[in-house]
Amino acid sequence: MKPLPGTRTPEKRIARMLRVNLAGEYGAQRIYEGQLAVLKNHSCAPLLEHMKEQEMVHLKHFETWVVDHHVRPTALQPLWHVAGYALGVATGLLGEKAAMACTAAVEEVIDQHYEGQLKELGEQDPRLSALISACQEDEQAHRDIALEQGPAYPRLSSAIKGASRLAIWLSERI
Ligand SMILES: [Fe+2]
Ligand SMILES: [Fe+2]
């Protein structure tokens, strides 16, 4: 049966998920790189390094999926390259607590984003669901570690959440 006009086929929905996840994991890695550029001699550096390495693993997985499924990466990749890094540097310059507030804010949004995808996928693609769940677990851990440092910047944090949601929305579409 032909899908109704305006209805996305399962393949298109999965392509859209892979595109946004690749962009998100790429952006996350760039945020940690930016923070590390500023905070490399601080006590939080090994933690940032650890989280960055986990993002690189997530990124590798989604890169493989994007290639295997012939998904076009988002045209906004160069923007996330710069914006992710800039967000990392900016929050890093504000100090360790602001860097952690940034992580807590971004990871909270990503956790909700992955939760939404898992619901949308249902039983459709168990391998993809398993990957998303594994990433989600790491993102929840990042969020919790960051929250332990105290959410000291409510306004910064809500601005970052808004920007992250916008980045997700754009990466799904462009
Ligand atoms: Fe990640
Ligand atoms: Fe993460």
Side-chain angles (χ1 to χ4, degrees):
M1 194 171 70
K2 258 181 88 186
L4 293 171
T7 317
R8 266 177 227 109
T9 61
E11 294 75 27
K12 278 205 174 138
R13 282 163 52 206
I14 285 183
R16 190 170 152 130
M17 285 184 194
L18 294 174
R19 180 177 304 125
V20 64
N21 293 359
L22 178 73
E25 296 297 349
Y26 183 77
Q29 185 201 318
R30 290 294 286 164
I31 294 172
Y32 289 119
E33 278 174 2
Q35 291 181 340
L36 274 163
V38 178
L39 296 170
K40 55 181 176 294
N41 297 319
H42 283 67
S43 57
C44 66
L47 178 62
L48 294 175
E49 197 66 61
H50 169 71
M51 296 197 282
K52 188 188 101 179
E53 275 163 20
Q54 288 185 315
E55 304 304 354
M56 286 166 72
V57 174
H58 302 167
L59 180 62
K60 281 266 164 311
H61 280 295
F62 283 115
E63 272 171 356
T64 309
W65 274 78
V66 158
V67 171
D68 289 351
H69 286 70
H70 309 287
V71 173
R72 169 187 65 76
T74 169
L76 297 173
Q77 194 94 349
L79 177 60
W80 305 146
H81 182 82
V82 175
Y85 193 80
L87 180 61
V89 168
T91 52
L93 285 172
L94 288 171
E96 283 186 42
K97 279 203 185 296
M100 290 297 154
C102 170
T103 293
V106 171
E107 301 290 17
E108 186 186 314
V109 173
I110 304 291
D111 173 42
Q112 291 161 357
H113 164 73
Y114 281 152
E115 191 60 37
Q117 285 192 342
L118 288 171
K119 284 214 180 84
E120 191 181 337
L121 271 174
E123 305 293 309
Q124 199 185 315
D125 191 331
R127 253 184 78 231
L128 181 56
S129 291
L131 171 60
I132 293 173
S133 290
C135 293
Q136 186 189 27
E137 222 172 273
D138 287 343
E139 317 304 7
Q140 287 168 343
H142 297 169
R143 178 202 60 201
D144 294 344
I145 293 166
L147 279 175
E148 276 169 28
Q149 321 289 319
Y153 294 84
R155 282 175 64 193
L156 176 71
S157 145
S158 63
I160 291 173
K161 282 183 203 171
S164 305
R165 290 195 185 101
L166 177 64
I168 288 173
W169 191 88
L170 288 169
S171 302
E172 281 174 338
R173 288 163 178 83
I174 299 177

